[in-house]
Amino acid sequence: MEMDTKVTVHDAMTSSVITADPKTTIADAAVLMSRFKIGSLVIKSETEPEGLITESDIIEKVVSKNILASEVTIGQIMTKNLILIDPGSELNQAARLMAKNNIRRLPVVNNGNLVGILTSMDVLMVSPELTELLVENARMENQREYLESEKSVPGICEICGNYVEYLDTFDGKFLCEECKEDLEDE
């Protein structure tokens, strides 16, 4: 009998999500976040999340503009059109989704009901190796973008493993000049 070893979103998510109504003021939201020592609130008036507000949102959209926090509601500044994930999804799929969309929090929804939240810290706690792979993947993607725009980048040659200041591409691989010349001569 083969054991199922995949790690799911349910395995890593936080199921006790602190939520708030869209009519809650920023001041009250900040008190909630402080009391529960959390960096975000999921906004909902029914069962499915309508939005999300983070500490950064409060700083960027209220404090930095010198707006009185008691006069603005979280519904006015929350992030809408959330990217949601199912609790049965694989954790690596969630991590890729977060990295691709440059987000650190994913509300977890099952049949239209909010059942948890998955943060980048949750992913890191459950699977540090996965995080390392995603970081390396993002680094490689950045290198590809630099090379495609004809800028040279430093990195590790995919053939000899040496670190060099300038990588070339050949046959879809990042190569040092020496390894590239060897392959071209073949």
Side-chain angles (χ1 to χ4, degrees), residues 69-111:
S70 61
E71 294 180 1
V72 179
T73 66
I74 52 181
Q76 292 173 287
I77 69 161
M78 69 184 181
T79 300
K80 299 175 184 170
N81 302 321
L82 298 177
I83 297 170
L84 309 172
I85 195 152
D86 184 87
S89 299
E90 289 189 36
L91 190 59
N92 61 1
Q93 176 190 357
R96 281 190 191 97
L97 190 61
M98 293 166 92
K100 178 183 172 191
N101 291 286
N102 196 27
I103 56 176
R104 296 184 305 180
R105 297 166 181 89
L106 275 176
V108 183
V109 175
N110 190 19
N111 297 323

Coordinates of all heavy atoms in Angstrom, one line a residue, residues 69-111:
A69 N -7.8 57.7 10.9 CA -8.2 56.2 10.8 C -9.6 56.0 11.2 O -10.2 55.0 10.8 CB -7.2 55.4 11.6
S70 N -10.2 56.8 12.1 CA -11.5 56.6 12.5 C -12.6 57.1 11.5 O -13.8 56.8 11.7 CB -11.7 57.3 13.9 OG -11.5 58.7 13.8
E71 N -12.1 57.7 10.5 CA -13.1 58.2 9.5 C -13.1 57.5 8.2 O -13.8 57.8 7.2 CB -12.8 59.7 9.2 CG -13.0 60.6 10.4 CD -12.7 62.1 10.2 OE1 -12.4 62.4 9.1 OE2 -12.9 62.8 11.1
V72 N -12.3 56.4 8.1 CA -12.2 55.6 6.9 C -12.6 54.1 7.2 O -12.1 53.6 8.3 CB -10.8 55.6 6.3 CG1 -10.7 54.8 5.1 CG2 -10.3 57.0 6.0
T73 N -13.3 53.5 6.4 CA -13.7 52.1 6.6 C -12.7 51.2 5.9 O -12.1 51.6 4.9 CB -15.1 51.8 6.2 OG1 -15.2 51.9 4.8 CG2 -16.1 52.7 6.9
I74 N -12.6 49.9 6.4 CA -11.7 49.0 5.7 C -12.3 48.6 4.3 O -11.6 48.3 3.4 CB -11.5 47.7 6.5 CG1 -12.7 47.1 7.0 CG2 -10.5 48.1 7.6 CD1 -12.5 45.9 7.9
G75 N -13.6 48.7 4.1 CA -14.2 48.5 2.8 C -13.8 49.5 1.8 O -13.8 49.2 0.6
Q76 N -13.3 50.7 2.2 CA -12.9 51.7 1.3 C -11.5 51.5 0.7 O -11.1 51.9 -0.4 CB -13.0 53.1 1.9 CG -14.4 53.6 2.2 CD -14.4 54.9 3.0 OE1 -14.1 54.9 4.2 NE2 -14.7 55.9 2.3
I77 N -10.7 50.8 1.5 CA -9.3 50.6 1.1 C -8.8 49.2 0.9 O -7.7 48.9 0.5 CB -8.3 51.3 2.1 CG1 -8.2 50.6 3.4 CG2 -8.6 52.8 2.2 CD1 -7.0 50.9 4.2
M78 N -9.7 48.2 1.2 CA -9.3 46.8 1.1 C -9.0 46.4 -0.3 O -9.4 47.0 -1.3 CB -10.5 45.9 1.6 CG -11.7 45.9 0.7 SD -13.0 44.9 1.5 CE -14.3 45.0 0.2
T79 N -8.2 45.4 -0.4 CA -7.9 44.7 -1.7 C -9.0 43.9 -2.0 O -9.5 43.0 -1.2 CB -6.6 43.9 -1.6 OG1 -5.5 44.8 -1.2 CG2 -6.2 43.2 -2.9
K80 N -9.6 44.1 -3.3 CA -10.7 43.3 -3.7 C -10.3 42.3 -4.8 O -9.1 42.2 -5.1 CB -11.8 44.2 -4.3 CG -12.3 45.2 -3.3 CD -13.2 46.2 -4.0 CE -13.7 47.3 -2.9 NZ -14.4 48.4 -3.5
N81 N -11.2 41.5 -5.3 CA -10.9 40.5 -6.3 C -9.8 39.6 -5.8 O -8.7 39.4 -6.5 CB -10.5 41.1 -7.7 CG -11.6 42.0 -8.2 OD1 -12.8 41.7 -8.1 ND2 -11.3 43.2 -8.7
L82 N -10.0 39.0 -4.7 CA -8.9 38.1 -4.1 C -8.7 36.9 -4.9 O -9.6 36.4 -5.5 CB -9.4 37.7 -2.7 CG -9.6 38.9 -1.7 CD1 -10.1 38.3 -0.3 CD2 -8.3 39.6 -1.5
I83 N -7.5 36.4 -4.8 CA -7.2 35.1 -5.3 C -7.4 34.1 -4.2 O -6.9 34.3 -3.1 CB -5.7 35.1 -5.8 CG1 -5.5 36.1 -6.9 CG2 -5.3 33.6 -6.2 CD1 -4.1 36.3 -7.3
L84 N -8.2 33.1 -4.4 CA -8.6 32.2 -3.4 C -8.0 30.8 -3.7 O -7.7 30.5 -4.9 CB -10.1 32.1 -3.3 CG -10.9 33.4 -3.2 CD1 -12.4 33.2 -3.3 CD2 -10.6 34.1 -1.9
I85 N -8.0 29.9 -2.7 CA -7.5 28.6 -3.0 C -8.3 27.6 -2.2 O -8.9 27.9 -1.1 CB -6.0 28.4 -2.7 CG1 -5.5 27.1 -3.3 CG2 -5.7 28.5 -1.2 CD1 -4.0 27.2 -3.6
D86 N -8.4 26.4 -2.7 CA -9.2 25.3 -2.1 C -8.3 24.6 -1.0 O -7.1 24.4 -1.3 CB -9.6 24.3 -3.2 CG -10.5 23.2 -2.6 OD1 -11.7 23.4 -2.6 OD2 -9.9 22.1 -2.2
P87 N -8.8 24.1 0.1 CA -8.0 23.5 1.1 C -7.3 22.2 0.6 O -6.3 21.8 1.2 CB -8.9 23.2 2.3 CG -10.3 23.3 1.7 CD -10.2 24.2 0.5
G88 N -7.9 21.6 -0.4 CA -7.3 20.3 -0.9 C -6.2 20.5 -1.9 O -5.6 19.5 -2.3
S89 N -6.0 21.7 -2.3 CA -4.9 22.0 -3.3 C -3.5 21.7 -2.7 O -3.4 21.8 -1.5 CB -4.9 23.5 -3.7 OG -6.1 23.8 -4.3
E90 N -2.6 21.3 -3.5 CA -1.3 21.0 -3.0 C -0.6 22.3 -2.6 O -0.8 23.3 -3.2 CB -0.5 20.3 -4.1 CG -0.9 18.9 -4.3 CD 0.0 18.1 -5.2 OE1 1.2 18.3 -5.1 OE2 -0.5 17.3 -6.0
L91 N 0.2 22.2 -1.6 CA 0.9 23.3 -1.0 C 1.9 24.0 -2.0 O 1.9 25.2 -2.1 CB 1.7 22.9 0.3 CG 2.3 24.1 1.1 CD1 1.2 25.0 1.5 CD2 3.1 23.6 2.2
N92 N 2.5 23.1 -2.8 CA 3.4 23.7 -3.8 C 2.7 24.5 -4.9 O 3.1 25.5 -5.4 CB 4.3 22.7 -4.5 CG 3.6 21.6 -5.3 OD1 2.3 21.6 -5.3 ND2 4.3 20.7 -5.8
Q93 N 1.4 24.1 -5.2 CA 0.6 24.9 -6.1 C 0.2 26.3 -5.5 O 0.3 27.3 -6.2 CB -0.7 24.1 -6.4 CG -1.7 24.9 -7.3 CD -3.1 24.3 -7.3 OE1 -3.3 23.2 -6.8 NE2 -4.0 24.9 -8.0
A94 N -0.1 26.3 -4.2 CA -0.4 27.5 -3.5 C 0.8 28.4 -3.5 O 0.7 29.7 -3.7 CB -0.9 27.2 -2.1
A95 N 2.0 27.9 -3.2 CA 3.2 28.7 -3.1 C 3.5 29.3 -4.5 O 3.9 30.4 -4.6 CB 4.4 27.8 -2.7
R96 N 3.3 28.5 -5.6 CA 3.6 29.1 -6.9 C 2.6 30.2 -7.2 O 3.0 31.2 -7.8 CB 3.4 28.0 -8.0 CG 4.6 27.1 -8.1 CD 4.5 26.2 -9.3 NE 5.5 25.1 -9.2 CZ 5.4 23.9 -8.7 NH1 4.2 23.5 -8.3 NH2 6.4 23.1 -8.7
L97 N 1.3 30.0 -6.8 CA 0.3 31.0 -7.0 C 0.7 32.3 -6.3 O 0.5 33.4 -6.8 CB -1.0 30.5 -6.5 CG -2.3 31.3 -6.8 CD1 -2.5 31.4 -8.3 CD2 -3.5 30.6 -6.2
M98 N 1.2 32.2 -5.1 CA 1.6 33.3 -4.3 C 2.8 34.0 -4.9 O 2.8 35.3 -5.1 CB 1.9 32.9 -2.8 CG 0.7 32.4 -2.1 SD 1.2 31.6 -0.5 CE 1.1 32.9 0.6
A99 N 3.8 33.3 -5.4 CA 4.9 33.8 -6.0 C 4.6 34.5 -7.3 O 5.0 35.6 -7.6 CB 6.0 32.8 -6.2
K100 N 3.8 33.9 -8.1 CA 3.4 34.4 -9.4 C 2.7 35.7 -9.3 O 2.9 36.6 -10.1 CB 2.5 33.4 -10.1 CG 2.0 33.8 -11.5 CD 1.1 32.8 -12.1 CE 0.5 33.3 -13.4 NZ -0.6 32.5 -13.8
N101 N 1.8 35.8 -8.3 CA 1.0 37.0 -8.1 C 1.6 38.0 -7.1 O 0.9 39.0 -6.8 CB -0.4 36.6 -7.7 CG -1.1 35.9 -8.8 OD1 -1.5 36.6 -9.8 ND2 -1.3 34.6 -8.8
N102 N 2.8 37.7 -6.6 CA 3.4 38.6 -5.6 C 2.6 38.9 -4.4 O 2.4 40.1 -4.1 CB 3.9 39.8 -6.3 CG 5.0 40.6 -5.5 OD1 5.7 40.0 -4.7 ND2 5.0 41.9 -5.7
I103 N 2.0 37.9 -3.9 CA 1.1 38.0 -2.7 C 1.6 37.1 -1.6 O 2.3 36.1 -1.8 CB -0.4 37.7 -3.0 CG1 -0.6 36.3 -3.5 CG2 -1.0 38.8 -3.9 CD1 -2.0 35.9 -3.8
R104 N 1.3 37.5 -0.3 CA 1.8 36.7 0.8 C 0.6 36.0 1.6 O 0.9 35.3 2.6 CB 2.6 37.6 1.7 CG 3.9 38.1 1.1 CD 4.7 38.9 2.0 NE 4.0 40.0 2.6 CZ 4.4 40.8 3.4 NH1 5.7 40.7 3.8 NH2 3.7 41.8 3.9
R105 N -0.6 36.2 1.1 CA -1.7 35.7 1.8 C -2.8 35.1 0.8 O -3.1 35.8 -0.1 CB -2.4 36.7 2.7 CG -1.5 37.2 3.8 CD -2.0 38.5 4.5 NE -1.2 39.0 5.5 CZ -0.2 39.8 5.3 NH1 0.1 40.3 4.1 NH2 0.6 40.3 6.3
L106 N -3.3 33.9 1.1 CA -4.3 33.4 0.3 C -5.5 32.9 1.2 O -5.3 32.0 2.0 CB -3.8 32.1 -0.4 CG -3.0 32.2 -1.7 CD1 -2.5 30.9 -2.2 CD2 -3.9 32.8 -2.8
P107 N -6.6 33.5 1.0 CA -7.8 33.0 1.7 C -8.1 31.6 1.2 O -8.1 31.4 0.0 CB -8.9 34.0 1.4 CG -8.2 35.3 1.0 CD -6.9 34.8 0.3
V108 N -8.5 30.7 2.1 CA -8.8 29.3 1.8 C -10.3 29.2 1.8 O -10.9 29.4 2.9 CB -8.1 28.3 2.7 CG1 -8.4 26.9 2.3 CG2 -6.6 28.6 2.7
V109 N -10.9 28.8 0.7 CA -12.4 28.7 0.6 C -12.8 27.3 0.2 O -12.2 26.8 -0.8 CB -12.9 29.8 -0.4 CG1 -14.4 29.7 -0.6 CG2 -12.5 31.2 0.1
N110 N -13.8 26.8 0.9 CA -14.3 25.5 0.5 C -15.8 25.6 0.3 O -16.5 26.0 1.2 CB -14.0 24.5 1.6 CG -14.3 23.0 1.2 OD1 -14.5 22.7 0.1 ND2 -14.5 22.2 2.2
N111 N -16.3 25.3 -0.9 CA -17.7 25.5 -1.2 C -18.3 26.8 -0.9 O -19.4 26.9 -0.3 CB -18.5 24.3 -0.6 CG -18.1 23.0 -1.0 OD1 -17.8 22.8 -2.2 ND2 -18.1 22.0 -0.1

